[in-house]
Amino acid sequence: MSAPVEYDVVVVGGGPAGCSAAVFLAREGLDVAVFDRGRSSIARCAHLGNYLGFPGGVDVETFSDLVHDHVERAGGALVDDLVESVERRSAGETAGFRVTPQEGEPVTARRVVAATRYGGEYLRGLDDDGAMFAVHEHGGESRETFDREYADRDGTTPVDGLYVASPSGADRQVATAAGRGARVGKRVVADARVDDGWWPAAAEGVDWLRREAELDGEW
């Protein structure tokens, strides 16, 4: 009998993209763990002045606390640890991944969402065809970095069960990074529904709505 997984989804990175994805996942009832060591790139900012809902701006520490609280309120777990590697599970085990952190014990998950702004070295074990990383020339030297074009617009990748919310072209602003995370989270939710027997059109089209009877004529 194959061994079960501990989480439906592991999110690597607790910044705006990772936490946004995690909220969508946890609210759907999926078991989600967010690995975060507090190294989100927004920590380099002193103040966020253009995030919707904060007309006076918000300091980074307060914003980070709020998004982490949101993850936990939605039902997700926050793990204060740095992920060192993500690998496919061994033959004979259920499909999915083995996630090894720096300090804690390895965990298993059906799906993984990569949401770290800098570097993707922890994904090296999944790069079978060499397409995950690209070589760039900088200052006369060659540098190999994660290829931002590796994932599709909705975060899906050639590796079944692996999604990328960051790094991506949406990383420049917190608002767009959170939007990218939401898009990836919705994609993972839809895929999980399909695995549970939903037909694709329904899996992608369900969301929270008010009952029509509650809407007045002006609305």
Side-chain angles (χ1 to χ4, degrees):
M1 182 176 180
S2 57
V5 294
E6 296 167 82
Y7 294 102
D8 293 315
V9 186
V10 161
V11 178
V12 184
C19 287
S20 180
V23 166
F24 275 80
L25 296 166
R27 290 188 73 237
E28 180 60 20
L30 297 174
D31 290 327
V32 182
V34 178
F35 280 78
D36 176 54
R37 182 51 73 81
R39 297 179 180 177
S40 173
S41 59
I42 65 170
R44 299 174 61 185
C45 303
H47 194 76
L48 303 180
N50 57 356
Y51 196 86
L52 188 66
F54 296 95
V58 58
D59 65 274
V60 170
E61 291 79 10
T62 298
F63 178 81
S64 295
D65 289 344
L66 286 172
V67 297
H68 287 170
D69 287 347
H70 198 164
V71 170
E72 293 183 314
R73 180 69 64 89
L78 290 172
V79 182
D80 181 19
D81 209 341
L82 182 71
V83 169
E84 290 197 332
S85 67
V86 176
E87 301 169 305
R88 293 182 183 86
R89 299 184 74 189
S90 303
E93 294 182 306
T94 305
F97 303 93
R98 180 181 179 87
V99 180
T100 302
Q102 189 176 68
E103 297 178 357
E105 294 296 320
V107 300
T108 54
R110 289 186 177 84
R111 294 176 171 86
V112 168
V113 175
T116 53
R117 173 70 174 83
Y118 296 109
E121 287 298 316
Y122 61 95
L123 298 175
R124 284 282 184 184
L126 302 176
D127 191 23
D128 292 338
D129 58 3
M132 194 178 291
F133 297 85
V135 177
H136 301 280
E137 296 293 332
H138 181 74
E141 297 182 357
S142 296
R143 297 179 58 190
E144 190 176 41
T145 59
F146 189 90
D147 187 353
R148 293 174 180 271
E149 303 300 321
Y150 182 74
D152 291 338
R153 189 166 179 261
D154 60 1
T156 54
T157 72
V159 178
D160 186 32
L162 174 66
Y163 304 78
V164 175
S166 183
S168 74
D171 289 329
R172 301 299 181 186
Q173 295 291 328
V174 172
T176 53
R180 166 75 172 186
R183 180 186 296 275
V184 174
K186 292 189 68 173
R187 177 71 264 162
V188 178
V189 165
D191 289 348
R193 288 171 174 167
V194 170
D195 284 352
D196 286 340
W198 294 46
W199 63 98
E204 296 183 13
V206 176
D207 209 339
W208 292 92
L209 298 174
R210 296 182 64 181
R211 293 190 307 169
E212 186 175 358
E214 296 179 353
L215 304 178
D216 58 31
E218 292 183 2
W219 191 95

